[in-house]
Amino acid sequence: MDLSVPVLDVVIFVLMGISLMSMVRVIIGPTPEDRLIGLNLVVAQVAGILVVIAVKFDRSIYLDVALVYAILGFIGILAIAKYLRGRQLGE
Amino acid sequence: MTELILILLILLGILALQFKDLLNAVICLAVFSLLSSLLFYYLHAPDVAIAEAAVGAGVATVLFVVIIGKTRRREE
């Protein structure tokens, strides 16, 4: 399978543009809840970018980074969401 | 791509410094560590990117939020 590299570059730049638009909400969002939603979007889109770059470089070790980030980013978002509801992570 | 990520890193670092609500600063630091992990990844260092993702997204964010819960949220 010879997936041409310019297609993957276009996909990476489109995903980067989408995550930039989500980062606008992180920067200008008035409340912490808005910024948390923006963080959630940016984490999901950057995990997609990591997978596409792994396909572009053609190395399977690069997929592990996306896996670790998809698991651990969720824990951080969960901690902030539970704090906004008035509880700590262990309660 | 590398220059774009570096400019965003500087912007998010300055932004995290000037917030009075510390929860906003924690969220900005989470995006900061996400982007620096992407930068390491793009520069062909996936092991450093794994360490940065594990520490930045998992441990540091949870630690900051727990400490904000035990102290004050707003900075005077």
Side-chain angles (χ1 to χ4, degrees), chain A residues 39 69 72-73 75-77 79-80 88-89, chain B residues 22-23 25-34 36 50-69:
Chain A
L39 175 67
Y69 211 90
L72 290 179
I75 294 177
I77 292 169
I80 299 174
Q88 290 289 323
L89 192 61
Chain B
L22 293 178
L23 202 61
V26 169
I27 294 172
C28 275
L29 281 180
V31 181
F32 182 92
S33 82
L34 172 63
S36 70
I50 286 179
E52 174 68 33
V55 173
V59 181
T61 307
V62 175
L63 195 68
F64 283 148
V65 171
V66 168
I67 290 175
I68 285 176

Side-chain angles (χ1 to χ4, degrees), chain B:
Chain B
M1 182 86 171
T2 308
E3 292 86 358
L4 177 67
I5 295 175
L6 285 172
I7 290 170
L8 281 172
L9 281 178
I10 294 173
L11 186 63
L12 281 167
I14 294 173
L15 198 68
L17 276 178
Q18 56 94 29
F19 278 129
K20 293 299 179 192
D21 190 350
L22 293 178
L23 202 61
N24 288 333
V26 169
I27 294 172
C28 275
L29 281 180
V31 181
F32 182 92
S33 82
L34 172 63
L35 282 178
S36 70
S37 169
L38 182 62
L39 181 66
F40 291 139
Y41 187 87
Y42 205 74
L43 296 175
H44 296 270
D47 44 354
V48 188
I50 286 179
E52 174 68 33
V55 173
V59 181
T61 307
V62 175
L63 195 68
F64 283 148
V65 171
V66 168
I67 290 175
I68 285 176
K70 289 192 185 304
T71 57
R72 287 190 309 274
R73 178 173 164 181
R74 295 198 65 84
E75 184 186 19
E76 282 92 12

Side-chain angles (χ1 to χ4, degrees), chain A residues 9-53:
Chain A
D9 280 334
V10 170
V11 171
I12 289 170
F13 271 99
V14 168
L15 280 173
M16 195 71 200
I18 294 172
S19 65
L20 277 179
M21 283 184 245
S22 307
M23 223 171 285
V24 170
R25 184 50 65 191
V26 177
I27 291 173
I28 68 170
T31 65
E33 288 84 1
D34 291 328
R35 292 193 168 89
L36 185 61
I37 295 295
L39 175 67
N40 204 343
L41 281 173
V42 171
V43 166
Q45 286 147 5
V46 169
I49 293 177
L50 294 180
V51 173
V52 176
I53 293 176

